[in-house]
Amino acid sequence: MRLAPEGILKPGYVREWLFHGGLPDLTVPNMAAPGEPAPTFFGVYGEWMQTPPPTWDDIAWLRQQWGGPFMVKGVMRPDDARHAVDVGATAISVSNHGGNNLDGTPASIRALPGIADAVGGQIEVLLDGGIRRGSDVVKALALGARAVMIGRAYLWGLAANGSAGVKNVFDVLRGGIDSTLLALGRSSVGELSPDDIIVPAEFSRGLHK
């Protein structure tokens, strides 16, 4: 009854809820211990908020438990990138988590050149954040990234038109990559180098330590 006014305004949502058996229970099944009921979303979120941040020792332990490829996301400093190499990570994601953790964090692409210089020959370096056009992909690859993570872009395509929308996002990005390479006189991304980018003098100030 409490939600009835909103239901009147959004009959499509009500129809979907009824079709699936009622209101969503907001549980997190993948966080349930074996044989235990699934915890609530807010219970898990509250527990996460009270959990101390992981240390490098924690990450090293986790790496030992997992035998497959292992990426550390959220690296914004060359010294942290070197720590990731030391614990055996196979890749790092240069990412500021969209500024959600600290809204004054520099853009991830500003941190990329220093990190690529520090560890690019030892570990796969990916860039996460701010990729909206094919030319953004080219900039990241030229500055030392092996690949990029596109974040919200594919979610927008998914919300707008399902799998066809996601494919359209990829097509738009690929078209932008191709046209940017053509304008630069490069036949492939493998030919890109930092010389293809004009970087302002203050671009990476304080981010090469």
Side-chain angles (χ1 to χ4, degrees), residues 56-89:
W56 283 109
D57 287 339
D58 294 328
I59 295 174
W61 173 85
L62 188 61
R63 178 69 183 97
Q64 291 173 357
Q65 310 308 307
W66 176 253
F70 188 90
M71 181 172 72
V72 179
K73 182 176 184 288
V75 175
M76 285 290 290
R77 296 164 32 145
D79 57 341
D80 281 338
R82 287 187 284 268
H83 277 302
V85 172
D86 292 341
V87 302

Side-chain angles (χ1 to χ4, degrees), residues 8-117:
I8 294 172
L9 295 174
K10 300 178 176 67
Y13 286 120
V14 175
R15 184 174 61 251
E16 287 294 313
W17 287 340
L18 294 175
F19 180 77
H20 290 97
L23 296 176
D25 56 9
L26 292 179
T27 58
V28 191
N30 62 306
M31 297 296 291
E36 297 291 331
T40 66
F41 169 81
F42 291 106
V44 170
Y45 182 77
E47 183 178 350
W48 172 70
M49 289 293 290
Q50 298 176 52
T51 301
T55 66
W56 283 109
D57 287 339
D58 294 328
I59 295 174
W61 173 85
L62 188 61
R63 178 69 183 97
Q64 291 173 357
Q65 310 308 307
W66 176 253
F70 188 90
M71 181 172 72
V72 179
K73 182 176 184 288
V75 175
M76 285 290 290
R77 296 164 32 145
D79 57 341
D80 281 338
R82 287 187 284 268
H83 277 302
V85 172
D86 292 341
V87 302
T90 52
I92 56 174
S93 170
V94 181
S95 172
N96 63 9
H97 298 298
N100 292 320
N101 292 357
L102 182 63
D103 61 4
T105 304
S108 53
I109 198 167
R110 290 187 57 207
L112 174 63
I115 290 174
D117 288 344

